[in-house]
Amino acid sequence: MSLFKKDKVALDMQSISTLISEGCILDGNLKAPDFARIDGQITGDVMVDEGLILGEKGSILGNVVTKELVVYGTITGNLQVTSLEIRATGKVTGEIRTQTLQVENGAVYNGSLSMTQNAKLAQSNQTASKAKPKLIEV
């Protein structure tokens, strides 16, 4: 992914610790460490610590919380992520909360979008706006 620091490996190139393959159906919540790829169907909430790739045949009916998310498949639910890419085959319906968003031509998104700044930048902006100007006597 081009949105990341130079020393960081793209999500597509990460070692996948959890795989839900095509044809698999999971009814219930999924919590996974590190990176996951879903090519099957999940009905329930998905929480992945580092990153998630939803393949073209993959679908999630539930909320998703992760740092990095690349969507080739279909999600119906709310997303809370740091970085989101919706590819041309991707379809998302629900509320999105993210810091960065990349959408390819052909992707479909229906819902509301809320974008925030980097946490450190947002915090420094809040501190700066609360600081009172100093008066200098001449």
Side-chain angles (χ1 to χ4, degrees):
M1 294 173 68
S2 62
L3 302 172
F4 303 110
K5 298 176 185 172
K6 292 180 183 178
D7 61 337
K8 194 167 187 180
V9 179
L11 179 59
D12 295 17
M13 305 306 266
Q14 291 289 349
S15 176
I16 303 297
S17 64
T18 303
L19 173 65
I20 306 295
S21 63
E22 186 177 340
C24 290
I25 299 171
L26 174 64
D27 288 323
N29 298 335
L30 172 67
K31 182 168 176 32
D34 298 325
F35 297 91
R37 179 176 177 106
I38 298 172
D39 291 308
Q41 299 174 5
I42 295 183
T43 302
D45 295 340
V46 176
M47 293 178 61
V48 181
D49 291 344
E50 295 298 322
L52 171 65
I53 298 173
L54 181 66
E56 282 189 48
K57 305 275 176 143
S59 69
I60 298 172
L61 179 59
N63 301 324
V64 177
V65 177
T66 189
K67 289 181 184 172
E68 304 172 34
L69 175 60
V70 179
V71 180
Y72 293 93
T74 304
I75 298 177
T76 303
N78 299 330
L79 308 180
Q80 185 172 340
V81 299
T82 303
S83 174
L84 173 62
E85 291 186 22
I86 306 175
R87 300 298 189 174
T89 56
K91 296 176 181 71
V92 177
T93 303
E95 178 183 330
I96 294 176
R97 297 181 69 199
T98 187
Q99 289 180 7
T100 61
L101 174 64
Q102 182 178 353
V103 182
E104 284 186 349
N105 276 345
V108 176
Y109 171 62
N110 291 300
S112 63
L113 172 64
S114 173
M115 293 186 72
T116 59
Q117 295 176 321
N118 178 315
K120 290 180 184 177
L121 180 60
Q123 187 177 29
S124 67
N125 286 346
Q126 287 176 349
T127 305
S129 67
K130 289 180 182 179
K132 294 181 181 180
K134 294 181 182 179
L135 296 177
I136 300 174
E137 290 184 32
V138 183

Coordinates of all heavy atoms in Angstrom, one line a residue, residues 48-121:
V48 N -9.4 -7.6 14.0 CA -8.0 -8.1 13.7 C -7.0 -7.1 14.1 O -7.2 -5.9 13.8 CB -7.9 -8.4 12.1 CG1 -6.5 -8.9 11.8 CG2 -9.0 -9.4 11.7
D49 N -6.1 -7.5 14.9 CA -5.1 -6.5 15.5 C -4.4 -5.7 14.5 O -4.3 -4.4 14.7 CB -4.1 -7.2 16.4 CG -4.8 -7.8 17.6 OD1 -5.9 -7.4 18.0 OD2 -4.1 -8.7 18.3
E50 N -3.8 -6.2 13.4 CA -3.0 -5.5 12.5 C -3.7 -5.1 11.2 O -3.8 -3.9 10.9 CB -1.7 -6.2 12.3 CG -0.8 -6.4 13.5 CD -0.4 -5.0 14.0 OE1 -0.1 -4.1 13.3 OE2 -0.3 -4.9 15.3
G51 N -4.1 -6.1 10.4 CA -4.6 -5.8 9.1 C -5.5 -7.0 8.6 O -5.3 -8.1 9.0
L52 N -6.3 -6.6 7.6 CA -7.3 -7.6 7.0 C -7.4 -7.3 5.6 O -7.5 -6.2 5.1 CB -8.6 -7.4 7.7 CG -9.8 -8.2 7.1 CD1 -9.6 -9.7 7.3 CD2 -11.1 -7.7 7.8
I53 N -7.4 -8.4 4.8 CA -7.7 -8.4 3.4 C -8.9 -9.2 3.2 O -9.0 -10.3 3.6 CB -6.5 -9.0 2.5 CG1 -5.2 -8.3 2.7 CG2 -6.9 -9.1 1.1 CD1 -4.0 -8.9 2.1
L54 N -9.9 -8.6 2.6 CA -11.2 -9.3 2.2 C -11.1 -9.5 0.7 O -11.2 -8.6 -0.1 CB -12.4 -8.4 2.6 CG -13.8 -9.0 2.3 CD1 -14.0 -10.3 3.2 CD2 -14.9 -8.0 2.5
G55 N -11.0 -10.8 0.4 CA -10.9 -11.2 -1.0 C -12.2 -11.0 -1.8 O -13.2 -10.7 -1.2
E56 N -12.1 -11.1 -3.1 CA -13.2 -10.9 -4.0 C -14.5 -11.7 -3.7 O -15.6 -11.2 -3.7 CB -12.9 -11.1 -5.5 CG -12.1 -10.0 -6.1 CD -11.9 -10.2 -7.6 OE1 -12.9 -10.4 -8.3 OE2 -10.7 -10.0 -8.0
K57 N -14.3 -12.9 -3.3 CA -15.4 -13.8 -2.9 C -15.8 -13.7 -1.5 O -16.7 -14.3 -1.0 CB -15.0 -15.3 -3.2 CG -14.5 -15.5 -4.6 CD -15.7 -15.8 -5.5 CE -15.2 -16.0 -7.0 NZ -15.8 -16.9 -7.7
G58 N -15.0 -12.9 -0.7 CA -15.2 -12.8 0.7 C -16.4 -11.8 1.0 O -16.6 -10.9 0.3
S59 N -17.1 -12.1 2.2 CA -18.1 -11.2 2.6 C -18.2 -11.2 4.1 O -18.0 -12.2 4.8 CB -19.5 -11.6 2.0 OG -20.0 -12.8 2.5
I60 N -18.5 -10.0 4.6 CA -18.7 -9.9 6.1 C -20.0 -9.2 6.3 O -20.3 -8.1 5.8 CB -17.5 -9.0 6.7 CG1 -16.2 -9.7 6.5 CG2 -17.8 -8.8 8.2 CD1 -15.0 -8.9 6.9
L61 N -20.9 -9.8 7.1 CA -22.1 -9.2 7.6 C -21.9 -8.9 9.1 O -22.2 -9.7 9.9 CB -23.3 -10.1 7.4 CG -24.7 -9.5 7.8 CD1 -25.0 -8.2 7.1 CD2 -25.7 -10.6 7.5
G62 N -21.3 -7.7 9.4 CA -21.0 -7.3 10.8 C -20.0 -6.2 10.8 O -19.6 -5.7 9.7
N63 N -19.6 -5.8 11.9 CA -18.7 -4.6 12.1 C -17.3 -5.1 12.0 O -17.0 -6.3 12.4 CB -19.0 -3.9 13.4 CG -20.4 -3.4 13.5 OD1 -20.9 -2.9 12.5 ND2 -21.0 -3.5 14.7
V64 N -16.4 -4.2 11.5 CA -15.0 -4.6 11.4 C -14.1 -3.5 12.1 O -14.3 -2.3 11.9 CB -14.6 -4.6 9.9 CG1 -13.1 -4.9 9.8 CG2 -15.4 -5.7 9.2
V65 N -13.2 -4.0 12.9 CA -12.2 -3.2 13.6 C -10.8 -3.7 13.3 O -10.5 -4.9 13.7 CB -12.5 -3.1 15.2 CG1 -11.4 -2.3 15.8 CG2 -13.9 -2.6 15.5
T66 N -10.0 -2.9 12.7 CA -8.6 -3.3 12.5 C -7.8 -2.0 12.1 O -8.4 -0.9 12.0 CB -8.5 -4.3 11.3 OG1 -7.2 -4.8 11.2 CG2 -9.0 -3.7 10.0
K67 N -6.5 -2.2 12.0 CA -5.7 -1.0 11.6 C -5.7 -0.8 10.1 O -6.0 0.3 9.6 CB -4.2 -1.2 12.0 CG -4.0 -1.1 13.5 CD -2.6 -1.3 13.9 CE -2.4 -1.3 15.4 NZ -1.1 -1.7 15.8
E68 N -5.4 -1.8 9.3 CA -5.4 -1.7 7.8 C -6.4 -2.6 7.2 O -6.5 -3.7 7.6 CB -4.0 -2.0 7.3 CG -2.9 -1.2 7.9 CD -1.5 -1.7 7.5 OE1 -1.4 -2.2 6.4 OE2 -0.6 -1.7 8.3
L69 N -7.1 -2.1 6.2 CA -8.2 -2.9 5.6 C -8.2 -2.7 4.1 O -8.2 -1.6 3.6 CB -9.6 -2.6 6.2 CG -10.8 -3.3 5.5 CD1 -10.7 -4.8 5.7 CD2 -12.1 -2.8 6.2
V70 N -8.1 -3.8 3.3 CA -8.2 -3.8 1.9 C -9.4 -4.6 1.5 O -9.5 -5.8 1.9 CB -7.0 -4.3 1.2 CG1 -7.1 -4.3 -0.3 CG2 -5.7 -3.5 1.6
V71 N -10.4 -4.0 0.8 CA -11.7 -4.6 0.5 C -11.8 -4.9 -1.0 O -11.8 -4.0 -1.8 CB -12.9 -3.7 0.9 CG1 -14.2 -4.4 0.6 CG2 -12.8 -3.4 2.4
Y72 N -11.8 -6.2 -1.3 CA -12.1 -6.6 -2.7 C -13.5 -7.2 -2.8 O -14.0 -7.3 -3.8 CB -11.1 -7.7 -3.1 CG -9.6 -7.2 -3.3 CD1 -8.7 -7.3 -2.3 CD2 -9.2 -6.7 -4.5 CE1 -7.4 -6.9 -2.4 CE2 -7.9 -6.3 -4.7 CZ -7.0 -6.4 -3.6 OH -5.7 -6.0 -3.8
G73 N -14.0 -7.6 -1.6 CA -15.3 -8.3 -1.5 C -16.4 -7.4 -1.0 O -16.4 -6.2 -1.3
T74 N -17.3 -7.9 -0.2 CA -18.5 -7.2 0.3 C -18.5 -7.1 1.8 O -18.4 -8.1 2.5 CB -19.7 -7.8 -0.2 OG1 -19.7 -7.9 -1.7 CG2 -21.0 -7.1 0.2
I75 N -18.7 -5.9 2.3 CA -18.9 -5.7 3.8 C -20.2 -4.9 4.0 O -20.5 -3.9 3.4 CB -17.8 -4.9 4.4 CG1 -16.5 -5.6 4.3 CG2 -18.1 -4.6 5.9 CD1 -15.3 -4.9 4.8
T76 N -21.1 -5.5 4.8 CA -22.3 -4.8 5.3 C -22.1 -4.6 6.8 O -22.3 -5.6 7.5 CB -23.6 -5.6 4.9 OG1 -23.6 -5.8 3.5 CG2 -24.8 -4.8 5.3
G77 N -21.8 -3.5 7.2 CA -21.5 -3.2 8.6 C -20.6 -2.0 8.8 O -20.2 -1.4 7.8
N78 N -20.4 -1.6 10.0 CA -19.6 -0.4 10.3 C -18.1 -0.8 10.4 O -17.7 -1.8 10.8 CB -20.0 0.2 11.6 CG -21.5 0.7 11.6 OD1 -22.0 1.0 10.5 ND2 -22.1 0.7 12.7
L79 N -17.3 0.1 9.9 CA -15.8 -0.1 9.9 C -15.1 1.0 10.7 O -15.4 2.2 10.6 CB -15.3 0.1 8.4 CG -15.9 -0.7 7.3 CD1 -15.2 -0.5 6.0 CD2 -15.9 -2.2 7.7
Q80 N -14.2 0.5 11.6 CA -13.4 1.4 12.3 C -11.9 1.0 12.1 O -11.5 0.0 12.6 CB -13.7 1.3 13.8 CG -12.9 2.3 14.6 CD -13.4 2.4 16.1 OE1 -14.5 2.0 16.4 NE2 -12.5 2.9 16.9
V81 N -11.2 1.7 11.2 CA -9.9 1.4 10.8 C -9.0 2.6 10.7 O -9.5 3.7 10.7 CB -10.0 0.7 9.4 CG1 -10.8 -0.5 9.4 CG2 -10.5 1.7 8.3
T82 N -7.7 2.4 10.6 CA -6.8 3.5 10.5 C -6.6 3.8 9.0 O -6.6 5.0 8.6 CB -5.4 3.1 11.1 OG1 -5.6 2.8 12.5 CG2 -4.5 4.3 11.0
S83 N -6.5 2.8 8.2 CA -6.3 2.9 6.8 C -7.2 2.0 6.0 O -7.3 0.8 6.3 CB -4.8 2.6 6.4 OG -4.6 2.7 5.0
L84 N -7.9 2.5 5.0 CA -8.9 1.7 4.2 C -8.7 1.9 2.8 O -8.5 3.0 2.3 CB -10.3 2.2 4.6 CG -11.5 1.6 3.8 CD1 -11.5 0.1 4.0 CD2 -12.8 2.2 4.2
E85 N -8.7 0.8 2.1 CA -8.6 0.8 0.6 C -9.8 0.0 0.1 O -10.0 -1.2 0.5 CB -7.4 0.1 0.1 CG -6.1 0.9 0.3 CD -4.9 0.3 -0.4 OE1 -5.0 -0.5 -1.3 OE2 -3.8 0.6 0.1
I86 N -10.7 0.6 -0.7 CA -11.8 -0.2 -1.3 C -11.4 -0.3 -2.8 O -11.3 0.6 -3.6 CB -13.1 0.6 -1.2 CG1 -13.4 0.9 0.3 CG2 -14.2 -0.3 -1.8 CD1 -14.6 1.7 0.5
R87 N -11.1 -1.6 -3.2 CA -10.7 -1.9 -4.6 C -11.9 -1.9 -5.5 O -13.1 -1.8 -5.1 CB -10.0 -3.2 -4.6 CG -8.8 -3.3 -3.8 CD -7.7 -2.3 -4.3 NE -6.5 -2.5 -3.6 CZ -5.4 -1.8 -3.9 NH1 -5.4 -0.9 -4.8 NH2 -4.3 -2.1 -3.2
A88 N -11.7 -1.9 -6.8 CA -12.7 -1.8 -7.9 C -13.8 -2.8 -7.7 O -15.0 -2.5 -8.0 CB -12.1 -2.0 -9.2
T89 N -13.5 -4.0 -7.1 CA -14.6 -5.0 -6.9 C -15.2 -4.9 -5.6 O -16.1 -5.7 -5.3 CB -13.9 -6.4 -7.1 OG1 -12.9 -6.6 -6.2 CG2 -13.5 -6.7 -8.5
G90 N -14.7 -4.0 -4.7 CA -15.2 -3.9 -3.4 C -16.6 -3.2 -3.2 O -16.9 -2.3 -4.0
K91 N -17.3 -3.6 -2.2 CA -18.6 -3.0 -1.9 C -18.7 -2.9 -0.4 O -18.6 -3.9 0.3 CB -19.8 -3.9 -2.4 CG -19.8 -4.0 -4.0 CD -20.9 -5.0 -4.4 CE -21.0 -5.1 -5.9 NZ -19.9 -5.9 -6.4
V92 N -19.0 -1.7 0.1 CA -19.1 -1.4 1.5 C -20.4 -0.7 1.8 O -20.7 0.3 1.1 CB -17.9 -0.6 2.1 CG1 -18.1 -0.3 3.5 CG2 -16.6 -1.4 1.9
T93 N -21.2 -1.2 2.7 CA -22.4 -0.5 3.1 C -22.3 -0.4 4.6 O -22.3 -1.4 5.4 CB -23.7 -1.3 2.8 OG1 -23.7 -1.5 1.3 CG2 -24.9 -0.6 3.1
G94 N -22.3 0.9 5.1 CA -22.3 1.1 6.6 C -21.4 2.4 6.9 O -21.0 3.1 6.0
E95 N -21.2 2.6 8.1 CA -20.5 3.8 8.6 C -19.0 3.5 8.6 O -18.6 2.4 9.1 CB -20.9 4.2 10.0 CG -20.2 5.4 10.6 CD -20.6 5.7 12.0 OE1 -21.8 5.4 12.3 OE2 -19.8 6.1 12.8
I96 N -18.2 4.4 8.1 CA -16.7 4.2 8.0 C -16.1 5.3 8.9 O -16.4 6.5 8.8 CB -16.2 4.3 6.6 CG1 -16.6 3.2 5.7 CG2 -14.6 4.4 6.7 CD1 -16.2 3.3 4.3
R97 N -15.2 4.9 9.8 CA -14.4 5.8 10.6 C -12.9 5.4 10.3 O -12.5 4.3 10.6 CB -14.7 5.7 12.1 CG -16.1 6.1 12.4 CD -16.4 6.0 13.9 NE -15.7 7.0 14.5 CZ -15.4 7.0 15.8 NH1 -15.8 6.0 16.6 NH2 -14.7 8.0 16.4
T98 N -12.2 6.4 9.7 CA -10.8 6.1 9.3 C -10.0 7.3 9.2 O -10.5 8.4 9.3 CB -10.8 5.4 7.9 OG1 -9.5 5.0 7.5 CG2 -11.3 6.4 6.8
Q99 N -8.7 7.1 9.1 CA -7.7 8.3 9.0 C -7.4 8.5 7.5 O -7.3 9.6 7.1 CB -6.5 8.1 9.8 CG -6.7 8.2 11.3 CD -5.4 7.9 12.0 OE1 -4.3 7.8 11.5 NE2 -5.5 7.8 13.3
T100 N -7.3 7.4 6.8 CA -6.9 7.5 5.3 C -7.9 6.6 4.6 O -8.3 5.5 5.0 CB -5.5 7.1 5.0 OG1 -5.3 5.7 5.4 CG2 -4.5 8.0 5.8
L101 N -8.2 7.1 3.4 CA -9.2 6.3 2.5 C -8.7 6.4 1.1 O -8.3 7.5 0.6 CB -10.6 6.9 2.6 CG -11.7 6.4 1.7 CD1 -11.9 4.9 2.0 CD2 -12.9 7.2 1.8
Q102 N -8.7 5.2 0.4 CA -8.4 5.2 -1.0 C -9.5 4.3 -1.7 O -9.8 3.2 -1.2 CB -7.0 4.5 -1.2 CG -6.6 4.4 -2.6 CD -5.2 3.8 -2.8 OE1 -4.5 3.6 -1.8 NE2 -4.8 3.6 -4.0
V103 N -10.1 4.9 -2.7 CA -11.2 4.2 -3.4 C -10.9 4.1 -4.9 O -10.6 5.1 -5.5 CB -12.6 4.9 -3.2 CG1 -13.7 4.1 -3.9 CG2 -12.8 5.1 -1.7
E104 N -10.9 2.9 -5.5 CA -10.6 2.7 -6.9 C -11.9 2.9 -7.7 O -13.0 2.7 -7.1 CB -10.1 1.3 -7.2 CG -8.7 1.1 -6.8 CD -8.2 -0.3 -7.2 OE1 -8.9 -1.2 -7.7 OE2 -7.0 -0.5 -7.1
N105 N -11.8 3.3 -9.0 CA -12.9 3.4 -9.8 C -13.6 2.0 -9.9 O -13.0 1.0 -10.0 CB -12.5 3.7 -11.3 CG -12.3 5.2 -11.5 OD1 -12.8 6.0 -10.6 ND2 -11.7 5.6 -12.5
G106 N -15.0 2.1 -9.8 CA -15.8 0.9 -9.8 C -16.2 0.4 -8.4 O -17.1 -0.4 -8.3
A107 N -15.5 0.8 -7.4 CA -15.9 0.4 -6.0 C -17.2 1.1 -5.7 O -17.6 2.1 -6.2 CB -14.8 0.9 -5.1
V108 N -17.9 0.4 -4.8 CA -19.2 0.9 -4.3 C -19.2 1.1 -2.8 O -18.8 0.3 -2.1 CB -20.4 -0.1 -4.7 CG1 -21.7 0.4 -4.2 CG2 -20.4 -0.3 -6.2
Y109 N -19.7 2.3 -2.4 CA -19.8 2.6 -1.0 C -21.1 3.4 -0.7 O -21.4 4.4 -1.4 CB -18.6 3.5 -0.5 CG -18.8 4.0 0.9 CD1 -18.9 3.0 1.9 CD2 -19.0 5.3 1.2 CE1 -19.2 3.4 3.2 CE2 -19.2 5.7 2.5 CZ -19.3 4.8 3.5 OH -19.6 5.2 4.8
N110 N -21.9 2.9 0.2 CA -23.1 3.5 0.6 C -23.1 3.6 2.2 O -23.0 2.6 2.8 CB -24.3 2.7 0.2 CG -24.5 2.8 -1.3 OD1 -24.7 3.8 -1.9 ND2 -24.4 1.6 -1.9
G111 N -23.2 4.8 2.7 CA -23.1 5.0 4.1 C -22.6 6.4 4.5 O -22.5 7.2 3.6
S112 N -22.1 6.5 5.7 CA -21.5 7.8 6.2 C -20.0 7.6 6.4 O -19.6 6.5 6.7 CB -22.2 8.3 7.4 OG -22.0 7.3 8.5
L113 N -19.3 8.6 6.2 CA -17.9 8.6 6.3 C -17.4 9.6 7.3 O -17.8 10.8 7.3 CB -17.2 8.9 5.0 CG -15.7 9.1 5.0 CD1 -15.0 7.8 5.4 CD2 -15.2 9.5 3.6
S114 N -16.5 9.2 8.3 CA -15.9 10.1 9.2 C -14.4 9.9 9.2 O -14.0 8.8 9.4 CB -16.5 9.8 10.6 OG -15.8 10.6 11.6
M115 N -13.7 11.0 8.9 CA -12.2 10.9 8.8 C -11.6 11.7 9.9 O -12.1 12.9 10.1 CB -11.7 11.3 7.4 CG -12.2 10.4 6.3 SD -11.5 10.8 4.7 CE -9.8 10.3 5.0
T116 N -10.6 11.2 10.5 CA -9.9 11.9 11.5 C -8.4 12.0 11.2 O -7.9 11.3 10.3 CB -10.0 11.2 12.9 OG1 -9.4 9.9 12.7 CG2 -11.4 11.1 13.4
Q117 N -7.7 13.0 11.8 CA -6.3 13.1 11.5 C -5.5 12.1 12.3 O -6.1 11.4 13.2 CB -5.9 14.5 12.0 CG -6.5 15.7 11.2 CD -6.1 17.0 11.8 OE1 -6.0 17.1 13.0 NE2 -5.8 17.9 10.9
N118 N -4.3 12.1 12.0 CA -3.3 11.3 12.8 C -3.5 11.6 14.3 O -3.6 12.8 14.6 CB -1.9 11.5 12.3 CG -0.9 10.8 13.1 OD1 -0.9 10.7 14.3 ND2 0.1 10.2 12.4
A119 N -3.5 10.7 15.2 CA -3.8 10.9 16.6 C -2.8 12.0 17.2 O -3.2 12.8 17.9 CB -3.7 9.6 17.4
K120 N -1.5 11.9 16.9 CA -0.6 12.8 17.4 C -0.8 14.2 16.9 O -0.7 15.2 17.6 CB 0.9 12.4 17.1 CG 1.3 11.1 17.8 CD 2.7 10.8 17.4 CE 3.2 9.5 18.1 NZ 4.5 9.1 17.7
L121 N -1.1 14.3 15.6 CA -1.4 15.6 15.0 C -2.6 16.2 15.5 O -2.7 17.4 15.9 CB -1.5 15.5 13.4 CG -1.7 16.7 12.6 CD1 -0.6 17.7 12.9 CD2 -1.9 16.4 11.2

